[in-house]
C-alpha cells in the first residue's frame, strides 16, 4: 500500500472521523438511558481502557507492519487468515450501506425540520417515520419515499467524492465531519444546561444505578459499544494503519483516538439528556437511538427557543452535522473493503469507486421503503452486534496465538520515547480477557437469538441471517473469484 497520510495529525483526524459517528451521537446516549446512566458509562469507560485500547493499538500496528488491509494482515497471522480479513471487510461494507440509508434519513430531517418547527411542532410519533418515510411498522414493502431516495443518492455522491481520493480525501473530509458536529453538539449541550431541570438530567446520566449491574445484557451492550464505536475488528483500523507514516508513535495516537471517541459519546449524552429532559420528553428516549433521533429530537428541537425560526435553523445545522458524521463513518467502512479489493484484483481506484457507489446505492434504496425501520433494526442487530462480537473473538485469538502477533508490542513502541504501551496489560487484554469475556457474555445473546426474535421470518433471513452468512463466507467467494482461470490451448488442425 504505497499511499500514506501526510502526517500523524492527518492519521489521527481520519481515525477519529472513522471512530466518531452515529454510534456516539445516537446509540450511546440511548444505551445510557436504558441501563442506568452512570452504571453503563462506568462499565463502558473501563472496557474502553482495558479491552478497547489494547486491541486498537494492535490493529494500527498490524496495519503498518504488514502494509495492507485486513485480508493481508490476518493472512500474516495464520494460514487461512485472509478469509477472516475479508469477513471483517465485508461486514464494514454492509454497515456502510446501512449508514448511507441512515444518512439519507438524517438529510431528510435536515430538509423538513424547519417547516416542522415553523408549524409549531406536531406529533412526535408521526413526524418522520410515518410522515416522511411512510413506514408501516409491519415490515411490509408497499411503497417507496421519493424524498428519501433523493437524499440517499446525494449521500452516495458525497461518499464517492471522499472515497475516490484515498488517504488524502479521508483526512481532508474529517476536518469537516469531526469539528462541525462537535461544535454543534457542544452548543446543544450548553443550551440544555440552562433548562430548569438540567441537574436532574445530569444526575440521570452520571449517577450510577446499580440495580441492574448483574445483567448480562448491560455488560454485552457496553462492551459491544466499545468495539463498534472504535471500529475494531471490521478492517478499518488495520487499513488506516497501513496509511500511517513510518516514524509515527502509535500509542499516543491511539490514546487521542480513544479519548476523542469517549468525549464525543459523553458530550452527545449530555446534549440529549439535558435537551430531552428540558422539553419533558425523557420517557420517550429509546435505547436504539434511532427512535430518539427521528422521533423525539424533532419535538425537543422545536421547543429549544421561543422563536420557531431559530429552532428550525438549529435543527437544520444539527441534522446536517449528524449526516456528516454518518458519511465519514460510511466512507471509512467502504475504504476498509475497497482498498484491499482494488489491490487484490488490480483495479483502477476512481472507476471502481464509481461502480461500488452505484451498486451499493441501489441496494441502500431498501431504506427508502415502507419496511425500512424494521430492516434497519434487523440488519444493525446482526451486522453491528452479533458479527462484530464474533469477528472480535476470532481476531483476538489470531493475534494472541501467532508469532506475528507477539511482535506487535515492539512495533507499537518502535518510535516511542517516553510514553510506551503497558505490555502486561496489553497481553492480558488481547490474549485472555477480551476473548474470554466476550465468549462468556455472548452465550445469553446466542440463546436469545435461537429462541426467536420478534421480526418476520423472511426479514430475519433476508437482512439478518442472510447478511451474516454472506459476510462469513465472503472470503471464500472472493478467493474463488480471484483464482486465475486456466488458459485453454487451441488445437491446430492438420492439413
Amino acid at each position: 500500500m504505497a499511499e500514506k497520510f501526510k502526517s500523524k495529525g492527518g492519521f489521527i483526524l481520519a481515525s477519529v472521523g472513522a471512530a466518531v459517528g452515529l454510534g456516539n451521537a445516537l446509540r450511546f446516549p440511548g444505551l445510557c438511558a436504558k441501563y442506568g446512566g452512570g452504571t453503563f458509562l462506568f462499565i463502558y469507560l473501563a472496557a474502553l481502557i482495558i479491552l478497547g485500547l489494547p486491541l486498537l493499538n494492535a490493529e494500527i500496528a498490524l496495519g503498518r507492519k504488514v502494509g495492507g488491509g485486513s485480508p493481508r494482515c490476518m493472512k500474516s497471522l495464520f494460514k487461512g487468515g485472509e478469509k477472516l480479513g475479508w469477513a471483517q471487510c465485508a461486514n464494514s461494507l454492509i454497515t456502510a450501506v446501512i449508514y448511507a440509508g441512515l444518512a439519507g434519513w438524517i438529510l431528510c430531517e435536515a430538509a423538513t425540520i424547519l417547516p416542522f418547527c415553523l408549524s409549531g411542532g406536531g406529533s412526535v410519533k408521526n413526524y418522520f417515520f410515518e410522515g416522511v418515510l411512510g413506514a408501516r411498522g409491519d415490515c411490509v414493502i408497499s411503497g417507496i419515499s421519493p424524498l428519501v431516495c433523493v437524499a440517499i443518492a446525494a449521500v452516495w455522491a458525497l461518499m464517492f467524492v471522499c472515497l475516490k481520493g484515498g488517504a488524502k480525501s479521508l483526512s481532508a473530509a474529517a476536518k469537516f465531519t469531526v469539528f462541525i458536529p462537535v461544535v454543534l453538539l457542544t452548543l446543544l449541550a450548553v443550551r440544555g444546561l440552562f433548562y430548569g431541570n438540567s441537574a436532574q438530567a445530569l444526575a440521570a446520566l452520571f449517577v450510577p444505578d446499580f440495580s441492574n449491574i448483574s445483567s448480562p445484557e448491560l455488560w454485552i451492550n457496553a462492551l459491544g459499544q466499545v468495539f463498534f464505536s472504535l471500529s475494531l475488528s471490521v478492517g478499518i483500523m488495520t487499513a488506516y494503519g497501513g496509511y500511517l507514516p513510518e516514524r509515527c508513535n502509535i500509542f499516543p495516537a491511539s490514546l487521542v483516538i480513544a479519548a476523542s471517541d469517549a468525549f464525543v459519546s459523553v458530550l452527545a449524552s449530555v446534549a440529549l439528556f439535558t435537551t430531552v429532559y428540558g422539553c419533558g420528553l425523557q420517557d420517550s428516549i429509546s435505547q436504539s437511538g434511532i427512535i430518539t433521533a427521528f422521533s423525539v429530537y424533532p419535538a425537543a428541537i422545536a421547543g429549544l427557543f421561543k422563536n420557531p425560526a431559530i429552532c428550525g435553523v438549529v435543527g437544520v445545522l444539527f441534522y446536517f452535522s449528524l449526516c456528516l458524521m454518518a458519511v465519514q463513518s460510511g466512507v471509512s467502512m467502504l475504504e476498509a473493503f475497497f482498498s484491499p479489493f482494488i489491490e487484490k484484483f488490480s483495479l483502477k481506484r476512481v472507476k471502481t469507486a464509481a461502480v461500488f457507489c452505484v451498486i451499493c446505492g441501489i441496494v441502500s434504496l431498501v431504506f427508502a421503503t415502507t419496511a425500512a425501520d424494521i430492516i434497519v433494526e434487523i440488519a444493525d442487530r446482526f451486522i453491528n452486534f452479533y458479527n462484530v462480537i464474533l469477528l472480535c473473538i476470532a481476531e483476538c485469538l489470531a493475534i494472541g496465538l501467532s508469532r506475528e502477533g507477539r511482535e506487535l508490542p515492539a512495533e507499537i513502541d518502535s518510535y516511542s520515547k517516553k510514553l510506551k504501551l503497558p505490555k502486561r496489560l496489553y497481553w492480558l487484554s488481547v490474549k485472555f480477557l477480551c476473548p474470554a469475556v466476550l465468549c462468556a457474555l455472548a452465550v445469553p445473546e446466542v440463546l436469545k437469538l435461537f429462541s426467536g426474535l420478534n421480526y418476520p421470518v423472511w426479514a430475519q433471513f433476508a437482512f439478518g441471517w442472510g447478511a451474516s452468512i454472506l459476510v462469513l463466507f465472503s472470503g471464500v467467494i472472493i478467493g474463488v473469484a480471484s483464482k486465475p482461470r486456466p488458459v485453454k490451448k487451441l488445437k491446430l488442425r492438420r492439413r
Side-chain angles (χ1 to χ4, degrees), residues 232-252:
L232 298 176
S233 302
V234 289
I236 294 176
M237 289 305 170
T238 48
Y240 278 29
Y243 288 148
L244 181 63
E246 193 62 33
R247 299 192 63 82
C248 287
N249 192 346
I250 292 176
F251 184 55

Side-chain angles (χ1 to χ4, degrees), residues 197-417:
N197 58 353
S198 60
Q200 181 186 357
L202 294 176
L205 173 60
F206 291 109
V207 177
D209 176 12
F210 294 111
S211 60
N212 60 349
I213 189 69
S214 60
S215 170
E217 189 178 349
L218 162 63
W219 288 84
I220 195 69
N221 275 285
L223 269 64
Q225 177 66 19
V226 169
F227 299 118
F228 174 72
S229 183
L230 285 177
S231 301
L232 298 176
S233 302
V234 289
I236 294 176
M237 289 305 170
T238 48
Y240 278 29
Y243 288 148
L244 181 63
E246 193 62 33
R247 299 192 63 82
C248 287
N249 192 346
I250 292 176
F251 184 55
S254 69
L255 290 175
V256 174
I257 295 168
S260 301
D261 184 74
F263 170 75
V264 175
S265 295
V266 174
L267 176 65
S269 299
V270 172
L272 184 141
F273 271 67
T274 55
T275 302
V276 172
Y277 268 75
C279 296
L281 298 169
Q282 57 267 32
D283 294 333
S284 301
I285 299 178
S286 167
Q287 66 271 18
S288 70
I290 296 175
I291 301 298
T292 298
F294 297 101
S295 292
V296 179
Y297 255 142
I301 291 171
L304 275 176
F305 304 99
K306 293 182 179 179
N307 189 323
I310 296 177
C311 293
V313 171
V314 171
V316 171
L317 294 174
F318 173 72
Y319 279 109
F320 183 69
S321 70
L322 287 184
C323 184
L324 289 178
M325 294 175 76
V327 167
Q328 174 67 26
S329 297
V331 171
S332 301
M333 293 165 189
L334 279 176
E335 180 66 22
F337 183 91
F338 181 75
S339 182
F341 185 83
I342 60 174
E343 182 181 358
K344 180 78 172 179
F345 293 96
S346 302
L347 302 172
K348 293 184 178 179
R349 186 177 186 93
V350 177
K351 291 183 178 180
T352 310
V355 173
F356 255 67
C357 290
V358 169
I359 294 174
C360 292
I362 293 172
V363 174
S364 64
L365 290 179
V366 70
F367 300 114
T369 66
T370 55
D373 54 337
I374 306 298
I375 292 173
V376 165
E377 287 186 16
I378 296 172
D380 182 69
R381 187 183 187 97
F382 278 83
I383 299 299
N384 294 327
F385 188 65
Y386 296 131
N387 281 12
V388 168
I389 292 175
L390 180 62
L391 293 171
C392 183
I393 293 172
E395 181 180 291
C396 287
L397 292 175
I399 293 174
L401 299 176
S402 66
R403 187 180 67 178
E404 188 79 21
R406 290 194 292 270
E407 297 174 356
L408 291 182
E411 176 68 23
I412 294 170
D413 287 335
S414 56
Y415 299 102
S416 299
K417 295 180 180 179

